[in-house]
Amino acid sequence: MKTNVTRVTIAVFVATFMTAIEGTIITTAMPTIVGSLQGIEIMNWVFSIYLLTSAMLTPIYGKLADNIGRKPIFLFGTLLFMIGSALCGLSNSMLTLILSRAVQGIGAGAMMPVALTIIADLYPVEKRAKVLGLNSTAWGIASVVGPLAGGVIVDTVGWHWIFFINVPIGVFLLGMIWFYFHEDRKIKRPEKMDLLGSFLMMVTLVSLLLGFQLLGDQGISIAVVSLLILALVTFLLFYRAEKKAADPLIDLALFHSRTFVVVNIVAALASGFLMGIDVYIPMWMQGVLGLSAGIGGLVLAPLSILWMVGSFLASRWLMKRSVSWVLTVSLLLTLAGAIWLFVTPMKTSFFWFLGISSITGVGLGATMVVCTVTAQTSVPHSQIGVATSFNTLLRTIGQTIMVSVFGIVLNISNSLGLKEAGIQDQEIMNRLVDPVAAKKLSTEILQQLRAILYDGLHWVYGLGLVLILIALVFARTIRRESGTMIKKESQVI
């Protein structure tokens, strides 16, 4: 039997959208959930545990996808995601909700990297970049639709249904993949799983991500330092274990390819920059310009739409130019948006940010697709699952680390600004970014706070600009001949 490419692609898109919207739709519902279940002091774990469990298992799923096949791993992940969603909807306390979100994250950790790997199996290189661009657009659409859908569901049928709705969608995915996706390649079945390497990798990732999340929440502490030291120690042990393993979780030979290493570093840096855009442009809209939360989300719509344009451009360029050239041009477009954002004055109209969002969307869309496609084509076909999951993991690490770093930079700047202005209330910045609460502040104090927030955001965007400059330096180290590799693969496929 042959795979129905169109229907499987639709299933991949739906899976991407379902996992992407999960993070945005719950944001709107969280105040209602807290009111229903209590536990405001631990509500951040509803978000954090999902990220941690999905990230720590991503490399393992990538290895299993190469060893036993994409189909069983994708089906397993989807089933777990459905079970986790159902448990979330049935939760009667914040603790049970957090535990259920952990199950959801374990499922999502399989769905995303394996979905990208399936695309690599289905499409030759010249078409793959376009399909990946369309697939990536789901994240942007989810960021716009999620909050709106969350509000509607909470106001009509109740917050439980933001989770229950995943069950019928999951059934649809299971059916589409089960009946229309058929693997006809030879599956490598190792005699022994790399259990030690898997364990050490999970401990490393959990320690690293949790350490940086706590760093963003509470600054330097004994717990943060301990977790980061543990991450370093277990990583070194992981490296030693992989050198001795018969069938390692991540083949260290992959890192002999300069192209593979560079595109993954660039993906991590660009993903970190993206978090600065996604999190802090809406904050500018609300805190500095005093606009509504809806407008704050709308300003990012061009980024989502133009992301697809960037991926289409990258797919054409990759057939004619080297990876180094395409990645450099993509990053230069991103750099233009970063510079534009960095030099933006305080009193700027909403429409100015639409331009920033547009050019940044083209640049990041092209960059991310180039990184994913190149990571896949720079390794043997038998290791595409590992390569794709590693690329996904590096993006997650980049986002997690930079969200924490950006938060620290902003908090330090705000604290210094409040101290200089003689304002003792450290919580007043929270009221500034709430358009309703901001209206209760006096005009004089409002102007002072907006200037303080602007200065803090300026530092954040300056750091984001540095990330893209570093990514550009790395991109220029790729050998120009690496572009012929992609052309050759497209001819073979």
Side-chain angles (χ1 to χ4, degrees):
M1 297 181 68
K2 291 185 177 181
T3 294
N4 188 313
V5 175
T6 301
R7 293 182 180 179
V8 172
T9 302
I10 291 173
V12 168
F13 286 178
V14 172
T16 301
F17 182 77
M18 184 169 70
T19 53
I21 201 172
E22 193 61 33
T24 58
I25 196 171
I26 195 175
T27 304
T28 307
M30 186 50 65
T32 304
I33 293 175
V34 171
S36 173
L37 303 181
Q38 307 302 312
I40 190 172
E41 66 279 357
I42 58 173
M43 75 172 189
N44 284 342
W45 278 99
V46 174
F47 303 97
S48 300
I49 198 69
Y50 181 87
L51 173 67
L52 287 172
T53 54
S54 60
M56 74 179 189
L57 289 169
T58 293
I60 297 174
Y61 285 134
K63 182 67 176 179
L64 290 174
D66 284 336
N67 284 354
I68 65 176
R70 328 302 195 205
K71 185 173 182 176
I73 301 303
F74 188 85
L75 292 175
F76 174 74
T78 303
L79 183 60
L80 267 184
F81 190 85
M82 290 169 55
I83 293 172
S85 297
L87 292 174
C88 286
L90 294 171
S91 297
N92 57 8
S93 71
M94 192 62 75
L95 180 59
T96 55
L97 177 61
I98 290 169
L99 294 175
S100 301
R101 286 280 287 174
V103 177
Q104 256 194 325
I106 293 173
M111 293 173 69
M112 283 313 305
V114 176
L116 296 177
T117 306
I118 289 174
I119 289 176
D121 289 339
L122 296 181
Y123 291 93
V125 178
E126 65 270 15
K127 293 182 180 180
R128 191 185 308 168
K130 296 179 181 179
V131 177
L132 286 173
L134 286 170
N135 190 59
S136 298
T137 305
W139 290 91
I141 296 173
S143 67
V144 177
V145 174
L148 177 62
V152 171
I153 292 173
V154 169
D155 292 339
T156 53
V157 293
W159 67 264
H160 302 273
W161 282 93
I162 67 173
F163 300 110
F164 286 147
I165 198 173
N166 290 327
V167 177
I169 297 175
V171 172
F172 167 78
L173 288 176
L174 290 175
M176 293 287 279
I177 295 298
W178 180 268
F179 290 109
Y180 299 115
F181 180 52
H182 304 284
E183 293 183 283
D184 54 3
R185 62 191 182 87
K186 293 182 179 180
I187 303 299
K188 175 186 174 185
R189 299 185 183 276
E191 296 181 1
K192 187 177 181 181
M193 180 72 179
D194 182 16
L195 296 178
L196 177 60
S198 300
F199 172 75
L200 291 172
M201 173 58 79
M202 285 193 293
V203 175
T204 299
L205 292 175
V206 170
S207 302
L208 179 68
L209 297 179
L210 183 56
F212 272 97
Q213 286 185 357
L214 291 178
L215 180 65
D217 292 339
Q218 61 190 39
I220 296 291
S221 66
I222 295 177
V224 169
V225 174
S226 300
L227 284 168
L228 295 181
I229 291 175
L230 177 60
L232 177 60
V233 171
T234 51
F235 173 75
L236 294 175
L237 292 173
F238 169 76
Y239 177 77
R240 290 185 60 184
E242 294 306 275
K243 291 178 68 175
K244 300 177 180 179
D247 186 30
L249 179 67
I250 299 178
D251 189 350
L252 299 181
L254 293 177
F255 301 99
H256 295 164
S257 168
R258 179 189 298 179
T259 300
F260 179 78
V261 173
V262 169
V263 295
N264 280 295
I265 292 174
V266 170
L269 292 168
S271 296
F273 172 74
L274 176 61
M275 292 308 294
I277 299 293
D278 282 346
V279 174
Y280 292 104
I281 283 187
M283 184 177 289
W284 186 314
M285 296 296 101
Q286 294 174 243
V288 178
L289 300 185
L291 301 176
S292 67
I295 295 297
L298 183 62
V299 77
L300 296 177
L303 185 146
S304 306
I305 298 170
L306 274 298
W307 188 290
M308 185 169 56
V309 174
S311 68
F312 287 166
L313 290 173
S315 66
R316 290 193 173 191
W317 292 338
L318 281 172
M319 294 301 103
K320 301 175 182 178
R321 301 278 189 167
S322 68
V323 170
S324 178
W325 187 93
V326 179
L327 196 53
T328 299
V329 171
S330 302
L331 287 169
L332 284 173
L333 288 170
T334 308
L335 181 65
I339 294 173
W340 189 354
L341 186 58
F342 182 67
V343 301
T344 296
M346 179 176 170
K347 295 182 179 179
T348 304
S349 71
F350 162 79
F351 297 99
W352 182 271
F353 286 91
L354 294 178
I356 296 173
S357 181
S358 297
I359 191 171
T360 305
V362 175
L364 285 174
T367 299
M368 292 303 187
V369 167
V370 172
C371 289
T372 302
V373 172
T374 307
Q376 293 173 339
T377 55
S378 61
V379 302
H381 192 270
S382 61
Q383 294 182 317
I384 285 181
V386 170
T388 305
S389 64
F390 187 77
N391 184 263
T392 303
L393 175 63
L394 262 289
R395 293 188 191 188
T396 301
I397 292 175
Q399 290 174 348
T400 304
I401 291 177
M402 289 316 302
V403 161
S404 300
V405 173
F406 286 147
I408 292 170
V409 169
L410 183 64
N411 289 337
I412 291 175
S413 179
N414 285 346
S415 296
L416 292 175
L418 290 173
K419 184 178 180 180
E420 186 177 337
I423 300 173
Q424 301 298 322
D425 185 2
Q426 295 291 320
E427 299 299 321
I428 197 169
M429 298 302 292
N430 294 324
R431 298 198 292 275
L432 174 66
V433 295
D434 182 348
V436 177
K439 292 179 180 179
K440 300 177 183 178
L441 299 172
S442 66
T443 303
E444 181 181 354
I445 194 70
L446 191 60
Q447 292 304 317
Q448 282 184 298
L449 294 178
R450 284 176 174 173
I452 292 171
L453 179 59
Y454 169 77
D455 289 338
L457 292 174
H458 204 66
W459 282 106
V460 168
Y461 298 140
L463 182 55
L465 177 59
V466 171
L467 291 180
I468 300 303
L469 287 172
I470 295 173
L472 262 172
V473 172
F474 274 104
R476 299 307 300 162
T477 66
I478 299 177
R479 295 186 179 91
R480 297 182 63 84
E481 295 80 12
S482 60
T484 60
M485 170 181 56
I486 289 182
K487 295 175 187 176
K488 288 179 180 178
E489 184 185 301
S490 66
Q491 292 168 1
V492 171
I493 295 176

